[in-house]
Amino acid sequence: MSREKLAVQQARKAFLTGGSKPLEYRIKQLKNLHRFITERATDITNALRKDLYKSENATQMFEILGLEGEINLAVSNLAEWAAPRPVNKTLLTISDDVYIQPEPLGVVLIIGAWNYPIAVTLQPLVGAIAAGNAAVVKPSEVSSHTAKVMELLPLYLDPEMYKVVTGGVPETQELLKQRFDHIFYTGNSTVGKLVMEAAARHLTPVTLELGGKSPCYIDKNCDIRIACRRITWGKYMNCGQTCIAPDYILCESSIQDKVINEIQKCIQEFYTKDPKSFADYGRIINQRHFKRIMALLEGSTVAIGGDSDESECYIAPTVLRDVASGSKVMQEEIFGPILPIITVNGLNEAIQFINEREKPLALYVFSSSSKVGRVMHYFQLLNGKQTIYIFSQVIKQMISETSSGALLANDCLVHFTISDLPFGGVGNSGTGRYHGKYGFDQLSHLRSCLIKKLNMEGVNQMRYPPHTTEKLRWARVFLLKQVNLARWRQMAQVAMLVALAAFVVKRFLR
Ligand code: NAD
């Protein structure tokens, strides 16, 4: 029997004992996962330095902090997330218990990618553990040093319930032959299709966290200096190897020079004049990706950077100007530190450009807020109102006329850190979502529960044969009439209070 098959079998056997269901068990495992990232911090830092040349603080900030936040959130909220969720009652269910019970799915396969190898592999695991599942974790072989550290996980987690299988494509393919109850895959869309195909054989549901080209539109009326600071940060972090990095800029030709100028200033400010010898500028993961990215420069004009060193997998922060929509760099997700600028004639053309392509994982728009909008917003804040007010017409139009996994106005990447926002793609950029409660729900079965009593049989007469016109009329009343029972209850309470008050007045105050 293969190592992969054995791992799945053992995880299933452990799951079937019911051991992963008690909330105390899940919380203990989540705390153990937390212990893994704190006690093994040095191993993790060293591995990420070797894999991606990440600095210690960058590893803490962009791999560990978010994961820690997710663990803490799950530990604090698990009781609430896992509790039965009552639903609205109808005339037919007035005396029944009607609720949704989240329950574990079974054995979850988590296939991780290499660009944030800790975050994208262990954050789904938080959801899997919290939801009470067993899991088989397959770290990416491309970030090999981090995968090695991940092999230490069974020293912290229940080794029967949570398995780590390392290896490359053959091992992943062997895993995919096995039957799982959910597959959570992070990586490129081509392999995403293979994962979905394999899952279909067992009718296994999937979450596909994929990538693609995330556009970034800069409106000519915005504060270009600030916009470029945020874009430069979002693009060149981790050497451009971020699934939600802005892939390319769309702007009017009148502001292109200013955009290039501002990005140049930011590159120097963030990474010095010599990013190659700067400790906080990363490297491309391997030579295969290095060659792929360098080939994307073909046929385009370099405005900033462009230099590289294959022996170190170094590519300088690079900007391309006046890029043609049919150029090589526009044919695939760049996933490296190259930022093409495509000029368009205003917002409508930018929207058309975006809509002619696959739905992105993230869509960025930079546009200044209107003064009226700001005043309204502060007024609403003072009033304690939660109304969503869209400041700018540009942002409003971008939201209403496009589709993407997420839309972020006037910043890059940071929506990833908000646990209350579901993280995931749409169409070619993915299916399903996670983070916070969304991760818990994604890896749970939301079971519908209706608990009736063996009384009030008279009400059921209308559904038993013979199906008379009279019964049909009653069925219409019970099934189609929208009765707001909560409002009835409120009215009944008010009526009782009025009756009580009348009684007190009559009895004692006269
Ligand atoms: P990768 O090469 O590490 O592949 C991911 C996983 O798929 C690995 O575990 C690998 O073993 C497995 N795999 C690769 N080829 C396979 C095959 N032929 N059959 C079966 N399994 C196979 O990672 P990658 O795909 O290069 O990752 C980069 C991509 O992931 C980018 O497109 C990026 O945008 C996307 N990504 C998305 C997110 C997100 O959250 N949406 C996060 C990170 C990365």
Side-chain angles (χ1 to χ4, degrees), residues 111-115 120 138-142 167-169 172-173 176 185-189 191 194 209-212 242-243 288-289 333 335 361 423 429 434:
I111 305 176
W114 52 264
N115 58 332
V120 303
K138 160 67 186 63
S140 171
E141 70 280 13
V142 180
V169 172
T172 318
Q173 283 171 347
L176 287 170
Y185 164 81
T186 303
N188 66 71
S189 307
V191 175
L194 299 176
E209 293 288 340
L210 310 177
T242 304
C243 58
R288 180 170 69 83
H289 279 282
E333 178 182 5
F335 221 53
L361 183 58
F423 186 83
S429 55
Y434 73 133

mmCIF file of all heavy atoms in Angstrom, residues 111-115 120 138-142 167-169 172-173 176 185-189 191 194 209-212 242-243 288-289 333 335 361 423 429 434, ligand 1:
data_model
loop_
_atom_site.group_PDB
_atom_site.id
_atom_site.type_symbol
_atom_site.label_atom_id
_atom_site.label_comp_id
_atom_site.label_asym_id
_atom_site.label_seq_id
_atom_site.Cartn_x
_atom_site.Cartn_y
_atom_site.Cartn_z
ATOM 1 N N ILE A 111 -3.847 20.934 -0.034
ATOM 2 C CA ILE A 111 -2.662 20.998 -0.907
ATOM 3 C C ILE A 111 -2.197 22.449 -0.936
ATOM 4 O O ILE A 111 -2.932 23.341 -1.360
ATOM 5 C CB ILE A 111 -3.001 20.538 -2.346
ATOM 6 C CG1 ILE A 111 -3.623 19.138 -2.334
ATOM 7 C CG2 ILE A 111 -1.762 20.561 -3.225
ATOM 8 C CD1 ILE A 111 -4.087 18.650 -3.709
ATOM 9 N N GLY A 112 -0.960 22.677 -0.456
ATOM 10 C CA GLY A 112 -0.472 24.050 -0.330
ATOM 11 C C GLY A 112 0.383 24.485 -1.506
ATOM 12 O O GLY A 112 0.869 23.662 -2.291
ATOM 13 N N ALA A 113 0.558 25.805 -1.639
ATOM 14 C CA ALA A 113 1.456 26.368 -2.659
ATOM 15 C C ALA A 113 2.720 26.880 -1.965
ATOM 16 O O ALA A 113 2.824 26.888 -0.742
ATOM 17 C CB ALA A 113 0.751 27.480 -3.422
ATOM 18 N N TRP A 114 3.680 27.354 -2.767
ATOM 19 C CA TRP A 114 5.016 27.651 -2.235
ATOM 20 C C TRP A 114 5.262 29.125 -1.910
ATOM 21 O O TRP A 114 6.253 29.456 -1.277
ATOM 22 C CB TRP A 114 6.083 27.214 -3.248
ATOM 23 C CG TRP A 114 5.843 27.754 -4.638
ATOM 24 C CD1 TRP A 114 5.216 27.112 -5.659
ATOM 25 C CD2 TRP A 114 6.197 29.043 -5.140
ATOM 26 N NE1 TRP A 114 5.147 27.922 -6.771
ATOM 27 C CE2 TRP A 114 5.748 29.117 -6.486
ATOM 28 C CE3 TRP A 114 6.846 30.162 -4.598
ATOM 29 C CZ2 TRP A 114 5.925 30.246 -7.292
ATOM 30 C CZ3 TRP A 114 7.022 31.287 -5.395
ATOM 31 C CH2 TRP A 114 6.564 31.319 -6.734
ATOM 32 N N ASN A 115 4.398 30.045 -2.345
ATOM 33 C CA ASN A 115 4.768 31.470 -2.255
ATOM 34 C C ASN A 115 4.651 32.042 -0.837
ATOM 35 O O ASN A 115 5.466 32.858 -0.427
ATOM 36 C CB ASN A 115 3.979 32.304 -3.272
ATOM 37 C CG ASN A 115 2.490 32.193 -3.089
ATOM 38 O OD1 ASN A 115 1.984 31.177 -2.603
ATOM 39 N ND2 ASN A 115 1.771 33.222 -3.464
ATOM 40 N N VAL A 120 -0.535 29.737 3.440
ATOM 41 C CA VAL A 120 -1.573 29.142 2.584
ATOM 42 C C VAL A 120 -1.775 27.650 2.856
ATOM 43 O O VAL A 120 -2.732 27.065 2.360
ATOM 44 C CB VAL A 120 -1.315 29.374 1.067
ATOM 45 C CG1 VAL A 120 -1.205 30.844 0.753
ATOM 46 C CG2 VAL A 120 -0.106 28.608 0.564
ATOM 47 N N LYS A 138 -0.575 18.449 2.476
ATOM 48 C CA LYS A 138 0.469 18.240 1.452
ATOM 49 C C LYS A 138 1.115 19.600 1.153
ATOM 50 O O LYS A 138 0.607 20.389 0.354
ATOM 51 C CB LYS A 138 -0.185 17.625 0.208
ATOM 52 C CG LYS A 138 0.589 17.757 -1.080
ATOM 53 C CD LYS A 138 1.868 16.959 -1.075
ATOM 54 C CE LYS A 138 2.709 17.210 -2.301
ATOM 55 N NZ LYS A 138 3.180 18.594 -2.443
ATOM 56 N N PRO A 139 2.281 19.881 1.808
ATOM 57 C CA PRO A 139 2.958 21.154 1.527
ATOM 58 C C PRO A 139 3.563 21.126 0.127
ATOM 59 O O PRO A 139 3.824 20.048 -0.409
ATOM 60 C CB PRO A 139 4.077 21.201 2.575
ATOM 61 C CG PRO A 139 3.875 20.030 3.479
ATOM 62 C CD PRO A 139 3.024 19.044 2.758
ATOM 63 N N SER A 140 3.789 22.309 -0.437
ATOM 64 C CA SER A 140 4.391 22.364 -1.780
ATOM 65 C C SER A 140 5.845 21.905 -1.714
ATOM 66 O O SER A 140 6.617 22.334 -0.845
ATOM 67 C CB SER A 140 4.340 23.785 -2.330
ATOM 68 O OG SER A 140 5.089 23.853 -3.517
ATOM 69 N N GLU A 141 6.210 21.035 -2.670
ATOM 70 C CA GLU A 141 7.595 20.565 -2.745
ATOM 71 C C GLU A 141 8.522 21.654 -3.273
ATOM 72 O O GLU A 141 9.749 21.570 -3.106
ATOM 73 C CB GLU A 141 7.672 19.322 -3.653
ATOM 74 C CG GLU A 141 7.448 19.578 -5.150
ATOM 75 C CD GLU A 141 5.971 19.712 -5.551
ATOM 76 O OE1 GLU A 141 5.122 19.856 -4.660
ATOM 77 O OE2 GLU A 141 5.691 19.676 -6.772
ATOM 78 N N VAL A 142 7.949 22.704 -3.882
ATOM 79 C CA VAL A 142 8.771 23.757 -4.488
ATOM 80 C C VAL A 142 9.478 24.564 -3.383
ATOM 81 O O VAL A 142 10.639 24.927 -3.514
ATOM 82 C CB VAL A 142 7.886 24.657 -5.388
ATOM 83 C CG1 VAL A 142 8.703 25.761 -6.031
ATOM 84 C CG2 VAL A 142 7.204 23.813 -6.462
ATOM 85 N N GLY A 167 6.329 15.529 -0.710
ATOM 86 C CA GLY A 167 6.653 14.913 -2.000
ATOM 87 C C GLY A 167 6.246 15.841 -3.119
ATOM 88 O O GLY A 167 5.805 16.966 -2.863
ATOM 89 N N GLY A 168 6.398 15.361 -4.341
ATOM 90 C CA GLY A 168 6.140 16.215 -5.499
ATOM 91 C C GLY A 168 4.849 15.859 -6.210
ATOM 92 O O GLY A 168 3.884 15.407 -5.592
ATOM 93 N N VAL A 169 4.882 16.033 -7.530
ATOM 94 C CA VAL A 169 3.678 15.808 -8.332
ATOM 95 C C VAL A 169 3.178 14.351 -8.214
ATOM 96 O O VAL A 169 1.977 14.125 -7.991
ATOM 97 C CB VAL A 169 3.929 16.223 -9.807
ATOM 98 C CG1 VAL A 169 2.769 15.831 -10.704
ATOM 99 C CG2 VAL A 169 4.173 17.727 -9.875
ATOM 100 N N THR A 172 1.368 13.911 -5.000
ATOM 101 C CA THR A 172 0.084 14.624 -4.976
ATOM 102 C C THR A 172 -0.934 13.856 -5.815
ATOM 103 O O THR A 172 -2.104 13.725 -5.438
ATOM 104 C CB THR A 172 0.238 16.069 -5.540
ATOM 105 O OG1 THR A 172 1.439 16.618 -5.041
ATOM 106 C CG2 THR A 172 -0.923 16.948 -5.135
ATOM 107 N N GLN A 173 -0.466 13.340 -6.948
ATOM 108 C CA GLN A 173 -1.397 12.604 -7.818
ATOM 109 C C GLN A 173 -1.887 11.328 -7.126
ATOM 110 O O GLN A 173 -3.060 10.967 -7.244
ATOM 111 C CB GLN A 173 -0.726 12.287 -9.152
ATOM 112 C CG GLN A 173 -0.691 13.534 -10.040
ATOM 113 C CD GLN A 173 0.141 13.384 -11.291
ATOM 114 O OE1 GLN A 173 0.909 12.430 -11.431
ATOM 115 N NE2 GLN A 173 0.006 14.330 -12.197
ATOM 116 N N LEU A 176 -4.480 12.310 -4.753
ATOM 117 C CA LEU A 176 -5.728 12.677 -5.425
ATOM 118 C C LEU A 176 -6.538 11.461 -5.878
ATOM 119 O O LEU A 176 -7.729 11.590 -6.192
ATOM 120 C CB LEU A 176 -5.444 13.604 -6.613
ATOM 121 C CG LEU A 176 -5.052 15.039 -6.225
ATOM 122 C CD1 LEU A 176 -4.558 15.823 -7.431
ATOM 123 C CD2 LEU A 176 -6.226 15.766 -5.564
ATOM 124 N N TYR A 185 -7.416 23.181 -2.267
ATOM 125 C CA TYR A 185 -6.195 23.333 -3.067
ATOM 126 C C TYR A 185 -5.844 24.806 -3.266
ATOM 127 O O TYR A 185 -6.717 25.620 -3.591
ATOM 128 C CB TYR A 185 -6.395 22.665 -4.439
ATOM 129 C CG TYR A 185 -5.368 23.072 -5.469
ATOM 130 C CD1 TYR A 185 -4.109 22.485 -5.505
ATOM 131 C CD2 TYR A 185 -5.662 24.066 -6.403
ATOM 132 C CE1 TYR A 185 -3.162 22.884 -6.450
ATOM 133 C CE2 TYR A 185 -4.716 24.458 -7.348
ATOM 134 C CZ TYR A 185 -3.470 23.869 -7.362
ATOM 135 O OH TYR A 185 -2.546 24.260 -8.285
ATOM 136 N N THR A 186 -4.582 25.139 -3.063
ATOM 137 C CA THR A 186 -4.087 26.477 -3.378
ATOM 138 C C THR A 186 -2.990 26.328 -4.421
ATOM 139 O O THR A 186 -2.039 25.565 -4.216
ATOM 140 C CB THR A 186 -3.508 27.167 -2.125
ATOM 141 O OG1 THR A 186 -4.518 27.205 -1.123
ATOM 142 C CG2 THR A 186 -3.071 28.586 -2.425
ATOM 143 N N GLY A 187 -3.105 27.042 -5.521
ATOM 144 C CA GLY A 187 -2.078 26.956 -6.569
ATOM 145 C C GLY A 187 -2.617 27.500 -7.875
ATOM 146 O O GLY A 187 -3.598 28.242 -7.890
ATOM 147 N N ASN A 188 -1.984 27.092 -8.979
ATOM 148 C CA ASN A 188 -2.379 27.679 -10.273
ATOM 149 C C ASN A 188 -3.622 27.000 -10.854
ATOM 150 O O ASN A 188 -3.993 25.886 -10.468
ATOM 151 C CB ASN A 188 -1.208 27.646 -11.255
ATOM 152 C CG ASN A 188 -0.822 26.230 -11.619
ATOM 153 O OD1 ASN A 188 -1.535 25.533 -12.329
ATOM 154 N ND2 ASN A 188 0.310 25.776 -11.090
ATOM 155 N N SER A 189 -4.242 27.693 -11.823
ATOM 156 C CA SER A 189 -5.528 27.235 -12.367
ATOM 157 C C SER A 189 -5.396 25.940 -13.170
ATOM 158 O O SER A 189 -6.330 25.128 -13.182
ATOM 159 C CB SER A 189 -6.130 28.306 -13.267
ATOM 160 O OG SER A 189 -6.188 29.517 -12.601
ATOM 161 N N VAL A 191 -3.412 23.308 -12.638
ATOM 162 C CA VAL A 191 -3.464 22.167 -11.712
ATOM 163 C C VAL A 191 -4.827 22.143 -11.007
ATOM 164 O O VAL A 191 -5.363 21.063 -10.714
ATOM 165 C CB VAL A 191 -2.285 22.221 -10.705
ATOM 166 C CG1 VAL A 191 -2.397 21.119 -9.672
ATOM 167 C CG2 VAL A 191 -0.958 22.103 -11.447
ATOM 168 N N LEU A 194 -7.023 19.891 -12.739
ATOM 169 C CA LEU A 194 -6.714 18.473 -12.497
ATOM 170 C C LEU A 194 -7.273 18.027 -11.144
ATOM 171 O O LEU A 194 -7.804 16.927 -10.988
ATOM 172 C CB LEU A 194 -5.192 18.234 -12.511
ATOM 173 C CG LEU A 194 -4.463 18.567 -13.816
ATOM 174 C CD1 LEU A 194 -2.953 18.388 -13.668
ATOM 175 C CD2 LEU A 194 -4.980 17.659 -14.940
ATOM 176 N N GLU A 209 -8.278 27.737 -4.374
ATOM 177 C CA GLU A 209 -7.746 29.090 -4.177
ATOM 178 C C GLU A 209 -6.704 29.296 -5.265
ATOM 179 O O GLU A 209 -5.558 28.859 -5.134
ATOM 180 C CB GLU A 209 -7.130 29.212 -2.773
ATOM 181 C CG GLU A 209 -8.146 29.118 -1.639
ATOM 182 C CD GLU A 209 -9.026 30.359 -1.524
ATOM 183 O OE1 GLU A 209 -8.651 31.426 -2.040
ATOM 184 O OE2 GLU A 209 -10.110 30.261 -0.918
ATOM 185 N N LEU A 210 -7.108 29.940 -6.350
ATOM 186 C CA LEU A 210 -6.243 30.032 -7.528
ATOM 187 C C LEU A 210 -5.688 31.457 -7.673
ATOM 188 O O LEU A 210 -5.749 32.236 -6.732
ATOM 189 C CB LEU A 210 -7.035 29.610 -8.766
ATOM 190 C CG LEU A 210 -7.789 28.274 -8.626
ATOM 191 C CD1 LEU A 210 -8.594 27.976 -9.864
ATOM 192 C CD2 LEU A 210 -6.838 27.125 -8.315
ATOM 193 N N GLY A 211 -5.191 31.760 -8.835
ATOM 194 C CA GLY A 211 -4.584 33.092 -9.027
ATOM 195 C C GLY A 211 -5.123 33.754 -10.268
ATOM 196 O O GLY A 211 -6.319 33.750 -10.509
ATOM 197 N N GLY A 212 -4.224 34.305 -11.056
ATOM 198 C CA GLY A 212 -4.623 35.014 -12.277
ATOM 199 C C GLY A 212 -4.084 36.431 -12.260
ATOM 200 O O GLY A 212 -3.291 36.789 -11.392
ATOM 201 N N THR A 242 2.940 36.986 -5.085
ATOM 202 C CA THR A 242 1.780 37.053 -4.197
ATOM 203 C C THR A 242 0.547 36.892 -5.081
ATOM 204 O O THR A 242 0.424 37.584 -6.092
ATOM 205 C CB THR A 242 1.732 38.429 -3.478
ATOM 206 O OG1 THR A 242 2.974 38.632 -2.793
ATOM 207 C CG2 THR A 242 0.585 38.528 -2.504
ATOM 208 N N CYS A 243 -0.347 35.984 -4.687
ATOM 209 C CA CYS A 243 -1.492 35.690 -5.564
ATOM 210 C C CYS A 243 -2.353 36.918 -5.815
ATOM 211 O O CYS A 243 -2.953 37.049 -6.863
ATOM 212 C CB CYS A 243 -2.331 34.568 -4.969
ATOM 213 S SG CYS A 243 -2.947 34.927 -3.322
ATOM 214 N N ARG A 288 13.443 27.783 -12.853
ATOM 215 C CA ARG A 288 12.358 27.598 -13.827
ATOM 216 C C ARG A 288 11.477 28.856 -13.861
ATOM 217 O O ARG A 288 11.182 29.402 -14.919
ATOM 218 C CB ARG A 288 11.522 26.362 -13.449
ATOM 219 C CG ARG A 288 10.366 26.087 -14.417
ATOM 220 C CD ARG A 288 9.731 24.727 -14.141
ATOM 221 N NE ARG A 288 8.999 24.675 -12.874
ATOM 222 C CZ ARG A 288 7.745 25.104 -12.718
ATOM 223 N NH1 ARG A 288 7.081 25.625 -13.727
ATOM 224 N NH2 ARG A 288 7.146 25.016 -11.539
ATOM 225 N N HIS A 289 11.083 29.314 -12.681
ATOM 226 C CA HIS A 289 10.244 30.516 -12.621
ATOM 227 C C HIS A 289 11.035 31.756 -13.056
ATOM 228 O O HIS A 289 10.487 32.650 -13.693
ATOM 229 C CB HIS A 289 9.654 30.698 -11.225
ATOM 230 C CG HIS A 289 8.427 29.844 -11.002
ATOM 231 N ND1 HIS A 289 7.200 30.175 -11.497
ATOM 232 C CD2 HIS A 289 8.263 28.658 -10.371
ATOM 233 C CE1 HIS A 289 6.315 29.235 -11.178
ATOM 234 N NE2 HIS A 289 6.943 28.295 -10.488
ATOM 235 N N GLU A 333 -0.437 35.088 -15.765
ATOM 236 C CA GLU A 333 -0.173 35.722 -14.474
ATOM 237 C C GLU A 333 1.340 35.902 -14.354
ATOM 238 O O GLU A 333 2.094 34.944 -14.576
ATOM 239 C CB GLU A 333 -0.689 34.812 -13.345
ATOM 240 C CG GLU A 333 -0.432 35.342 -11.959
ATOM 241 C CD GLU A 333 -0.911 34.368 -10.872
ATOM 242 O OE1 GLU A 333 -1.360 33.251 -11.214
ATOM 243 O OE2 GLU A 333 -0.813 34.720 -9.691
ATOM 244 N N PHE A 335 3.374 36.833 -11.614
ATOM 245 C CA PHE A 335 3.895 36.197 -10.411
ATOM 246 C C PHE A 335 5.389 36.450 -10.232
ATOM 247 O O PHE A 335 6.180 35.553 -9.937
ATOM 248 C CB PHE A 335 3.609 34.689 -10.457
ATOM 249 C CG PHE A 335 3.167 34.153 -9.119
ATOM 250 C CD1 PHE A 335 2.121 34.734 -8.432
ATOM 251 C CD2 PHE A 335 3.796 33.059 -8.529
ATOM 252 C CE1 PHE A 335 1.712 34.263 -7.206
ATOM 253 C CE2 PHE A 335 3.398 32.569 -7.296
ATOM 254 C CZ PHE A 335 2.344 33.177 -6.642
ATOM 255 N N LEU A 361 -8.728 37.537 -9.145
ATOM 256 C CA LEU A 361 -8.827 37.224 -7.717
ATOM 257 C C LEU A 361 -9.018 38.512 -6.923
ATOM 258 O O LEU A 361 -9.790 38.565 -5.970
ATOM 259 C CB LEU A 361 -7.534 36.508 -7.278
ATOM 260 C CG LEU A 361 -7.439 36.016 -5.847
ATOM 261 C CD1 LEU A 361 -8.561 35.044 -5.517
ATOM 262 C CD2 LEU A 361 -6.087 35.324 -5.604
ATOM 263 N N PHE A 423 -12.291 35.136 1.847
ATOM 264 C CA PHE A 423 -11.182 35.217 0.896
ATOM 265 C C PHE A 423 -11.303 34.095 -0.124
ATOM 266 O O PHE A 423 -11.334 32.913 0.243
ATOM 267 C CB PHE A 423 -9.832 35.125 1.618
ATOM 268 C CG PHE A 423 -8.686 35.355 0.676
ATOM 269 C CD1 PHE A 423 -8.275 36.642 0.349
ATOM 270 C CD2 PHE A 423 -8.032 34.288 0.071
ATOM 271 C CE1 PHE A 423 -7.244 36.857 -0.553
ATOM 272 C CE2 PHE A 423 -7.004 34.494 -0.835
ATOM 273 C CZ PHE A 423 -6.608 35.785 -1.146
ATOM 274 N N SER A 429 -10.448 32.442 -11.089
ATOM 275 C CA SER A 429 -9.568 32.712 -9.950
ATOM 276 C C SER A 429 -9.924 31.869 -8.724
ATOM 277 O O SER A 429 -9.283 31.993 -7.677
ATOM 278 C CB SER A 429 -9.559 34.205 -9.610
ATOM 279 O OG SER A 429 -10.857 34.697 -9.383
ATOM 280 N N TYR A 434 -12.409 31.176 2.392
ATOM 281 C CA TYR A 434 -12.036 30.875 3.776
ATOM 282 C C TYR A 434 -11.671 32.141 4.514
ATOM 283 O O TYR A 434 -11.978 33.221 4.060
ATOM 284 C CB TYR A 434 -10.980 29.784 3.849
ATOM 285 C CG TYR A 434 -9.551 30.093 3.435
ATOM 286 C CD1 TYR A 434 -8.494 29.696 4.246
ATOM 287 C CD2 TYR A 434 -9.241 30.737 2.247
ATOM 288 C CE1 TYR A 434 -7.166 29.913 3.868
ATOM 289 C CE2 TYR A 434 -7.920 30.958 1.875
ATOM 290 C CZ TYR A 434 -6.895 30.559 2.681
ATOM 291 O OH TYR A 434 -5.603 30.766 2.317
HETATM 292 P P1 NAD B 1 2.953 24.662 -6.721
HETATM 293 O O1 NAD B 1 3.805 24.411 -7.916
HETATM 294 O O2 NAD B 1 3.547 24.536 -5.376
HETATM 295 O O3 NAD B 1 1.695 23.723 -6.836
HETATM 296 C C1 NAD B 1 0.733 23.653 -5.810
HETATM 297 C C2 NAD B 1 0.535 22.211 -5.396
HETATM 298 O O4 NAD B 1 0.048 21.473 -6.509
HETATM 299 C C3 NAD B 1 1.802 21.528 -4.922
HETATM 300 O O5 NAD B 1 1.553 20.932 -3.670
HETATM 301 C C4 NAD B 1 2.113 20.501 -5.999
HETATM 302 O O6 NAD B 1 2.609 19.292 -5.472
HETATM 303 C C5 NAD B 1 0.772 20.265 -6.656
HETATM 304 N N1 NAD B 1 0.909 19.974 -8.082
HETATM 305 C C6 NAD B 1 1.675 20.622 -8.986
HETATM 306 N N2 NAD B 1 1.525 20.074 -10.211
HETATM 307 C C7 NAD B 1 0.637 19.061 -10.067
HETATM 308 C C8 NAD B 1 0.062 18.104 -10.979
HETATM 309 N N3 NAD B 1 0.387 18.078 -12.273
HETATM 310 N N4 NAD B 1 -0.816 17.212 -10.467
HETATM 311 C C9 NAD B 1 -1.148 17.219 -9.161
HETATM 312 N N5 NAD B 1 -0.623 18.087 -8.272
HETATM 313 C C10 NAD B 1 0.251 18.988 -8.719
HETATM 314 O O7 NAD B 1 2.319 26.114 -6.750
HETATM 315 P P2 NAD B 1 1.925 27.030 -7.975
HETATM 316 O O8 NAD B 1 0.760 26.462 -8.664
HETATM 317 O O9 NAD B 1 3.120 27.423 -8.754
HETATM 318 O O10 NAD B 1 1.465 28.296 -7.082
HETATM 319 C C11 NAD B 1 1.381 29.552 -7.629
HETATM 320 C C12 NAD B 1 -0.060 29.813 -8.048
HETATM 321 O O11 NAD B 1 -0.891 29.717 -6.924
HETATM 322 C C13 NAD B 1 -0.264 31.202 -8.599
HETATM 323 O O12 NAD B 1 -1.163 31.136 -9.657
HETATM 324 C C14 NAD B 1 -0.881 31.948 -7.438
HETATM 325 O O13 NAD B 1 -1.669 33.047 -7.831
HETATM 326 C C15 NAD B 1 -1.700 30.873 -6.799
HETATM 327 N N6 NAD B 1 -1.924 31.135 -5.380
HETATM 328 C C16 NAD B 1 -3.186 31.395 -4.986
HETATM 329 C C17 NAD B 1 -3.435 31.697 -3.654
HETATM 330 C C18 NAD B 1 -4.825 32.011 -3.173
HETATM 331 O O14 NAD B 1 -5.004 32.086 -1.976
HETATM 332 N N7 NAD B 1 -5.795 32.181 -4.041
HETATM 333 C C19 NAD B 1 -2.390 31.711 -2.737
HETATM 334 C C20 NAD B 1 -1.126 31.411 -3.179
HETATM 335 C C21 NAD B 1 -0.893 31.120 -4.506
#
